[in-house]
Amino acid sequence: MIPEARFYLEVRKFALTEPSYSPRRQVVRSFPSERYHLPMMALRVYGDPTETLAIMAAAGLSTVDSELIEKDVVLPTKEHLAYLKQKCGIVTATRSVR
């Protein structure tokens, strides 16, 4: 499976099944100004506008141009997002140099 597709499925599954008491999740309200501008929401949540795939997956959007209605979106925390990327093969694990 393509790593990006696997990542999309992992984030979508996380958004739908992660319990409300989990410390690995955050609930973020989308703003009307972010309706057609997902990088703006990614920048606000993760500090990186390139995390639009995570926003798309969590919100259940099929394309970047899809409309994100104003709602609460369940997203993984920054640390758990890094774990999901590593699990799907998008980012490799880094080791400190000794």
Side-chain angles (χ1 to χ4, degrees):
M1 182 179 277
I2 300 172
E4 288 80 11
R6 184 170 177 214
F7 176 70
Y8 182 94
L9 292 175
E10 287 289 331
V11 173
R12 186 66 187 147
K13 183 173 76 172
F14 175 87
L16 293 175
T17 61
E18 193 69 15
S20 61
Y21 54 83
S22 174
R24 299 180 299 186
R25 73 177 243 166
Q26 56 184 334
V27 180
V28 179
R29 183 82 174 165
S30 63
F31 294 146
S33 60
E34 299 164 342
R35 180 172 292 224
Y36 292 106
H37 196 67
L38 296 180
M40 188 183 294
M41 184 174 183
L43 180 64
R44 179 170 58 96
V45 175
Y46 294 116
D48 185 4
T50 62
E51 297 294 349
T52 55
L53 186 59
I55 304 292
M56 278 176 42
L61 303 176
S62 57
T63 65
V64 179
D65 298 330
S66 298
E67 178 182 7
L68 175 63
I69 58 171
E70 189 175 349
K71 65 178 182 176
D72 290 334
V73 181
V74 176
L75 292 165
T77 60
K78 197 171 193 177
E79 295 79 22
H80 193 67
L81 184 70
Y83 165 76
L84 290 175
K85 284 182 167 185
Q86 182 179 347
K87 179 180 172 184
C88 297
I90 292 178
V91 178
T92 58
T94 57
R95 286 185 11 180
S96 61
V97 178
R98 296 186 203 185

